[in-house]
Amino acid sequence: MARGGSGDARREAAKAPGRAVRGAAAFDPRAILTSIGEVVYDWDIASDALSWGANALEVLGLDDLDPVSTGRGLALMVEPDSGLTRHEALHGGEVRDRGEGVPYRTRYALRLAPDRVVTVEDTGRWFGDRDGQPACAHGVLRIETPADESTSLATRDRTSFLTLIAPEVAEAVRSRRVLTLVVASVDGLRHLNEELGEDVADGVLRTVAARVRSVMRRRDRLVRYAGNRLGLLLRSCAPDQIETAVKRIAWAVEGEPIPVPGGARGVRLRIGAACAPEQAADAGGLLRRAEEALHAAKSDVTKPFAVFNAAMARNLKRARDITTEIVEALNGRRVLIARQPIVDARTRQPTFSEALLRARAVDGSLIAATEIMPAIERAGLVPLVDGRVLELVADHLVAHPDARMSLNLSILTLERADWLGILASHLGARPGIASRLVIEITETAAVRDPAATRARLNAMKALGVGIAIDDFGAGHTSFKHLRSFPVDLLKIDGAFVQNLARSADDRFFVRTLVDLAQHLGIATVAEWVEDEETAQQLAEWGVDYLQGTLCGAPALLAPVPAAGPLKTSVA
């Protein structure tokens, strides 16, 4: 897809104050994002839901987003051995989230259509659960340059492979006879391709396929697809027989090195498996589950084989457990807040802070919002949690008369008929705090129903609170909407800020957002500021406030005695 203008032109535009917003009514963040080939996303790892920015269809060149509405769906489009996938980038190290998230960056190739492969840079920040493991991620996918990746290793594409196996999966479902799909890839084939050439790598994979056929039963079927992958259908192979079958395949393939020019190379397989009809009722579902198991096998160097069911069962149980814990935390007054400072961009003096949701489990451990929010949403508890956070922030402001604090408000809470009454009750019970309270809503929420949102924001402003648009830059908000909303602060999406040192495109885009805010007379906050170079650049551009690890990590606040009339309880 065309990126729209040269890098030199974009860099020149970034140097010219006000240039992007002259004739400001024409400003369109979505169009600018699309022109530089970028789209933002949010990935909830527990549910695997993948949400995209408003310009996703244009950047990705897709007719609809259903195929990439989950992390697994996107992973199925990743070209084998083209680089670390997002999942691998998040789970491949020993780093733990200590409360402020962990940056990641990777490059890989996506096959967005049978004849269209693009190279992407995937950058962002993941946030952990109570164990510090990835729970969700927020980032930017950047289309780099069109790539014409070789497909000569593939004898079938994914679509034709699914067409081939669909009747057998349907028969397995109808007859209730077990059908196991095994998918395998050869470690290091991409490096062999780069070192000795495509023909040599292709020959190695043909030899691997021949060795697999040598130990197959006559009624089984082997198909080579997706370049580096083999799909093996095992009829009447019960789950307790899969490991034996896989060991036989691995022994046949890995027992002897494969001759190549200049010597011989040992090969190693990574294998995943899933069963129909127990785990899937159609070919697409069976392949996705087998490939998810393959991905797990690739992620663990000590276990080159994985079956789908165990990890999924654990994830589902964990989600149920978290929901129970949240209900108990609400009733037990164990919902807490952490405070992250926001500093003046020039003086670096703390100016106000953001309240971040936390919960304390029965065993005393802390649960981060990134782990509990999906469960809260599924259980319909978001308004109750938002109400408790408001109560905690309001009490903190009473106890600290010089403090200013912002809190995040869900669109689900904002749209409730009783929200304004709840806010007014808290403010009325604590005179003097309204001017020190800022309510943050996301850019996505702001444009869900612009007219209704504007009315609600105006009503909150009438109560005396400030209004901030969080994660600004996803391309949802037009100049027209932004000008009509009663906004005091724009918080620039950290997914763009953290790349400033590396990306001229992001420098151009962030500078454009700052110019727009200055044109409208709205103060700006840059999120995810981690280094001095970025902080100085943002201050030079006119950003008003900075937030991130450079400015201070979140710190848990001890609850103060409640001053308000409202109590949160879940039956």
Side-chain angles (χ1 to χ4, degrees), residues 42 408-411 414 439-448 453 468-472 476-477 485:
D42 287 286
N408 293 280
L409 188 71
S410 166
I411 184 64
L414 179 66
I439 306 292
E440 299 184 19
I441 64 170
T442 64
E443 183 185 358
T444 306
V447 297
R448 180 158 151 171
T453 298
I469 300 294
D470 195 14
D471 295 335
F472 183 65
H476 295 280
T477 308
F485 291 155

Side-chain angles (χ1 to χ4, degrees), residues 71-294:
R72 297 186 194 95
L74 184 72
L76 290 176
M77 294 184 171
V78 176
E79 285 290 278
D81 293 326
S82 63
L84 286 179
T85 65
R86 184 187 303 159
H87 186 280
E88 291 167 337
L90 267 61
H91 292 84
E94 297 299 325
V95 180
R96 297 291 184 269
D97 179 19
R98 305 300 181 186
E100 58 270 6
V102 178
Y104 60 89
R105 182 187 184 203
T106 185
R107 292 175 71 252
Y108 50 86
L110 285 175
R111 182 170 292 278
L112 297 172
D115 58 349
R116 180 171 178 249
V117 177
V118 296
T119 300
V120 300
E121 182 184 46
D122 195 339
T123 61
R125 182 178 293 259
W126 63 261
F127 299 87
D129 56 21
R130 79 190 73 180
D131 300 320
Q133 298 296 322
C136 70
H138 177 69
V140 176
L141 196 71
R142 177 184 296 107
I143 306 292
E144 289 193 335
T145 54
D148 184 15
E149 300 288 344
S150 170
T151 59
S152 63
L153 290 179
T155 56
R156 285 186 179 271
D157 61 23
R158 188 177 304 277
T159 301
S160 62
F161 177 55
L162 290 173
T163 301
L164 182 70
I165 68 174
E168 300 197 45
V169 177
E171 174 60 23
V173 172
R174 187 193 65 77
S175 64
R176 304 299 299 174
R177 293 181 180 176
V178 177
L179 180 69
T180 297
L181 176 60
V182 173
V183 292
S185 67
V186 179
D187 272 358
L189 195 67
R190 179 172 62 90
H191 300 296
L192 187 64
N193 187 16
E194 293 172 352
E195 179 185 352
L196 298 177
E198 175 182 308
D199 291 341
V200 173
D202 189 63
V204 168
L205 192 56
R206 284 199 301 269
T207 301
V208 169
R211 292 181 178 184
V212 173
R213 288 191 181 94
S214 72
V215 293
M216 283 171 48
R217 299 171 301 179
R218 183 173 299 176
R219 62 181 181 272
D220 297 332
R221 172 176 288 186
L222 179 68
V223 176
R224 180 175 154 202
Y225 79 103
N228 183 29
R229 295 189 183 177
L230 300 173
L232 177 61
L233 278 176
L234 304 177
R235 297 180 179 89
S236 301
C237 180
D240 60 355
Q241 299 173 344
I242 297 175
E243 186 170 358
T244 299
V246 165
K247 285 182 177 179
R248 185 170 65 249
I249 292 168
W251 179 85
V253 171
E254 300 172 2
E256 295 182 11
I258 295 178
V260 297
R265 299 293 178 90
V267 293
R268 182 176 174 84
L269 291 181
R270 296 287 175 173
I271 300 173
C275 298
E278 179 182 352
Q279 295 168 340
D282 60 81
L286 185 62
L287 180 58
R288 285 194 297 273
R289 285 157 176 77
E291 289 196 326
E292 182 174 303
L294 173 61

Side-chain angles (χ1 to χ4, degrees), residues 233-471:
L233 278 176
L234 304 177
R235 297 180 179 89
S236 301
C237 180
D240 60 355
Q241 299 173 344
I242 297 175
E243 186 170 358
T244 299
V246 165
K247 285 182 177 179
R248 185 170 65 249
I249 292 168
W251 179 85
V253 171
E254 300 172 2
E256 295 182 11
I258 295 178
V260 297
R265 299 293 178 90
V267 293
R268 182 176 174 84
L269 291 181
R270 296 287 175 173
I271 300 173
C275 298
E278 179 182 352
Q279 295 168 340
D282 60 81
L286 185 62
L287 180 58
R288 285 194 297 273
R289 285 157 176 77
E291 289 196 326
E292 182 174 303
L294 173 61
H295 186 80
K298 287 185 172 184
S299 302
D300 189 344
V301 296
T302 65
K303 298 177 181 178
F305 164 63
V307 179
F308 169 78
N309 55 354
M312 181 61 70
R314 286 195 299 271
N315 288 340
L316 290 175
K317 182 179 185 301
R318 184 168 180 78
R320 291 193 297 268
D321 291 345
I322 290 173
T323 301
T324 301
E325 284 190 81
I326 295 307
V327 172
E328 294 174 350
L330 281 166
N331 288 331
R333 311 292 285 183
R334 288 184 281 105
V335 172
L336 310 170
I337 57 174
R339 170 183 174 274
Q340 185 170 32
I342 298 173
V343 305
D344 186 283
R346 291 157 189 79
T347 67
R348 305 294 174 84
Q349 293 300 308
T351 304
F352 63 108
S353 59
E354 179 180 356
L356 305 174
L357 175 65
R358 301 288 187 267
R360 193 174 295 282
V362 176
D363 62 7
S365 63
L366 283 178
I367 314 173
T370 50
E371 182 180 10
I372 62 179
M373 281 308 299
I376 290 172
E377 290 170 353
R378 286 192 296 270
L381 302 177
V382 172
L384 291 173
V385 174
D386 281 351
R388 174 57 176 156
V389 171
L390 171 62
E391 184 179 9
L392 291 169
V393 170
D395 289 342
H396 177 81
L397 294 176
V398 169
H400 300 83
D402 295 329
R404 294 178 62 211
M405 187 170 285
S406 68
L407 62 87
N408 293 280
L409 188 71
S410 166
I411 184 64
L412 299 176
T413 304
L414 179 66
E415 292 178 346
R416 282 178 62 98
D418 60 353
W419 160 245
L420 288 173
I422 292 173
L423 177 61
S425 295
H426 280 293
L427 297 178
R430 304 167 180 83
I433 71 167
S435 62
R436 297 183 285 123
L437 175 65
V438 177
I439 306 292
E440 299 184 19
I441 64 170
T442 64
E443 183 185 358
T444 306
V447 297
R448 180 158 151 171
D449 184 343
T453 298
R454 182 168 56 254
R456 295 184 181 101
L457 296 184
N458 283 329
M460 288 195 291
K461 285 287 288 185
L463 294 174
V465 303
I467 303 296
I469 300 294
D470 195 14
D471 295 335

